[in-house]
Amino acid sequence: MTHPRPETFVLHNGDKAPLPFTLSEYDARLAKLRAEMAARDIDVVLLTSMQNIAYYSGFLYCSFGRPYACVVTQDNSTTVSANIDGGQPWRRSAHDNVIYTDWKRDNYWRAVRDLVGNAGRLGVEGDHLTLLQRDKLSEFLGTVEVVDIGPATMTQRMIKSKAEIALIKESARIADVGGAAVVAAVAEGVREIDVAMAGRDAMELEIARSFPDSEIRDSWVWFQGGLNTDGAHNPVTTRKLQMGDILSLNTFPMISGYYTALERTLWLGEPDKRSLEIWEANVEAHELGLSIIKEGAMCSDICTEINQFFASRDLLQYRSFGYGHSFGVLSHYYGREAGLELREDIHTVLEPGMVISMEPMLTIPEGVVGAGGYREHDIVIIEDDGPVNITGFPYGPEHNII
């Protein structure tokens, strides 16, 4: 006797797991999304990105080439997951879950179709829906009108709740723990990868202690020396550290999809006079930036003021990127709250609940005296009674010459 293979099914395997936040926190987030839906006459929202699915449901998926979703109506919120994950997505979702199988191609879209129903207007993430999946949407959902809900969800995520801020503060503390482990591991002849592993291990142990119910995943360290410091996101190598190296410390604890960071310039041995001057100038820019991050400040204006400082030191041509960015559900391979970055083209005004970094970076190319990448990075929370710097690790030459 043969049994038909289902296209979709529900599996409540075990009990619901403790989520990063309370059920009321997720309900409050969904209420804001549903208010946006009602205001724009959107019947159903189809979320597909890691950051939004995690933000509204608590479930942080592992794609491995498979599509995932969270379908939100005015009455229900349901994650859509692949059969390979078993019951874990239901355990980690605040509300409902449906599993799609691999037995027939496009069962994912059949699951989505069942949940979307006869919606006339569908909200999607325009910056995440690929051309391929947009064609699939048309094939399976017909003539539904598609509306981009992505910018609105990003704007919502930019204002953190008290529960989010509590998690971010603890995560910043853990980044400092990783930084201390990195510094302790630095020595002449040690490889970048060995230093990075020391920092990562220290953070994961502290996350396991401080957040015992969380999934332990995705934390990492970038630790670079010499030429490899020229980029903010350069991968770790097996290069051995040498006396006289400029070093870049970057620790990133990840807690339930939430990202924080600690970044510092270090030196192995004494820096030369010009390198010290550049480092000190970058520290001055860092302190200037910290002093002007406050409620009511505009991102582009903060950027302009730091640009003027670097120009006065004839260093502006070595600036690498924007001076800071938002924090929340994001990582190096998913998520970004691009509306809250300290860049010339971002005119967002800072308000309570926002969390933003100050991280000036100068890259001096090889062949120029003082060559290397210089960067300091602190995290600032805009609170009701003023900005609060939650990074405790010391910066500057007086602390970080090893």
Side-chain angles (χ1 to χ4, degrees), residues 28 81 103 112 117 120 130 190 213 215 268 319 341 387:
S81 59
W103 315 137
V112 169
T130 65
V190 176
D213 293 322
E215 299 173 312
L268 184 55
R319 173 192 154 191
E341 295 191 9

Side-chain angles (χ1 to χ4, degrees), residues 154 157-158 160 168 220 222 232-233 250-254 258-263 286 289-290 293 299 302-303 306 319 321-332 334-343 346 348 350 353-361 375-382 390-391:
M154 179 191 68
R157 296 197 316 272
M158 279 163 40
K160 314 305 177 197
I168 289 169
W220 84 103
W222 280 323
H233 299 160
N250 310 270
T251 63
F252 308 99
M254 293 294 298
Y258 277 74
Y259 162 103
T260 57
L262 167 70
E263 301 171 12
H286 181 61
L290 290 172
I293 289 180
C299 291
I302 294 172
C303 183
I306 304 172
R319 173 192 154 191
F321 55 91
Y323 293 118
H325 58 79
S326 184
F327 288 83
V329 189
L330 56 98
S331 178
H332 58 307
Y334 64 86
R336 186 167 174 234
E337 294 171 10
L340 184 52
E341 295 191 9
L342 300 179
R343 296 179 9 172
I346 302 295
T348 302
L350 301 186
M354 290 180 171
V355 184
I356 194 165
S357 62
M358 172 48 56
E359 51 175 311
M361 180 174 180
R375 186 169 71 261
E376 316 297 338
H377 175 297
D378 286 14
I379 301 171
V380 178
I381 298 173
I382 310 299
I390 60 172
T391 299

